[in-house]
């Protein structure tokens, strides 16, 4: 029993890095010093990552001015929709605030009248392009024609770009 207790104590000393309490203190140990701290102000701005955005543009040109950004997206989700062949299609649902709803409705009406394409971009990456047949006025958009992995990736990008309100309360309370 004593041997087990001693073994456990010795193991605890080794694992925790404690020194032997029975060993005499070595007075010749080298003295360590810390470099002096300075109170000099920082002269350069800290670097921050560029803000990630979703852009909606008329046409497919990256340089075209966006008519709508993720500043007006309130939510997004990935949905599994059964198709006619019994398989599943994966779509990304995008929901706009009131201002975004109006902007998107006007842009889709214009695109439908001209037979134009509306493209969706994640920063400089084209993630979707669609020919608009009629104005979309319900405040949402759908990206379809993707597989599960692509839909999940696009949903993640959009969700990452949504302006989330800062709350102090815990969600679910």
């Amino acid at each position: 029993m004593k041997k087990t207790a001693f073994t456990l104590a010795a193991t605890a000393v080794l694992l925790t890095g404690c020194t032997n309490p029975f060993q005499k203190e070595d007075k010749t140990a080298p003295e360590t010093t810390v470099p002096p701290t300075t109170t000099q102000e920082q002269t350069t701005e800290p670097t921050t990552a560029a803000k990630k955005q979703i852009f909606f543009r008329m046409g497919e040109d990256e340089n075209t001015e966006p008519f709508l950004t993720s500043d007006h997206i309130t939510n997004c989700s990935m949905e599994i929709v059964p198709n006619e062949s019994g398989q599943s299609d994966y779509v990304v649902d995008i929901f706009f605030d009131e201002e975004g709803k109006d902007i998107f409705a006007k842009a889709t009406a214009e695109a439908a009248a001209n037979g134009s394409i509306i493209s969706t971009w994640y920063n400089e990456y084209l993630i979707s392009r669609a020919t608009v047949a009629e104005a979309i006025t319900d405040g949402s958009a759908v990206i379809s024609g993707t597989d599960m992995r692509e839909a999940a990736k696009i949903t993640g990008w959009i969700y990452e770009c949504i302006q989330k309100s800062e709350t102090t309360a815990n969600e679910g309370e």
Side-chain angles (χ1 to χ4, degrees), residues 105-158:
K106 288 176 187 171
T108 55
E110 179 185 328
N114 299 330
S116 299
I117 291 174
I118 290 184
S119 58
T120 308
W121 298 74
Y122 172 67
N123 291 335
E124 69 271 11
Y125 301 105
L126 176 66
I127 59 175
S128 171
R129 59 184 291 283
T131 302
V132 181
E134 61 185 53
I136 302 170
T137 60
D138 66 352
S140 66
V142 176
I143 297 174
S144 59
T146 62
D147 63 13
M148 182 178 75
R149 181 175 293 173
E150 186 78 11
K153 184 170 38 174
I154 291 169
T155 302
W157 287 339
I158 294 170

Side-chain angles (χ1 to χ4, degrees), residues 77-83 86-93 128 142-155:
S77 62
M78 183 177 95
E79 186 177 2
I80 303 170
V81 181
N83 62 24
Q87 300 294 317
S88 295
D89 288 332
Y90 297 88
V91 299
V92 178
D93 297 316
S128 171
V142 176
I143 297 174
S144 59
T146 62
D147 63 13
M148 182 178 75
R149 181 175 293 173
E150 186 78 11
K153 184 170 38 174
I154 291 169
T155 302

Side-chain angles (χ1 to χ4, degrees), residues 51-56 66-76 94-97 100 120-123 127 157-164:
K51 181 179 178 187
K52 295 177 178 158
Q53 283 272 48
I54 298 296
F55 301 103
F56 294 89
F67 64 84
L68 189 63
T69 69
S70 51
D71 292 338
H72 294 289
I73 298 175
T74 59
N75 204 356
C76 70
I94 304 168
F95 304 95
F96 301 108
D97 62 14
T120 308
W121 298 74
Y122 172 67
N123 291 335
I127 59 175
W157 287 339
I158 294 170
Y159 189 76
E160 178 181 34
C161 297
I162 295 173
Q163 297 292 325
K164 296 164 192 71

Side-chain angles (χ1 to χ4, degrees), residues 21-40:
F22 302 110
Q23 184 179 13
K24 291 185 179 182
E25 193 173 325
D26 184 10
K27 301 285 186 187
T28 62
E31 185 177 316
T32 59
T33 59
V34 177
T37 58
T38 61
T39 57
Q40 182 179 2

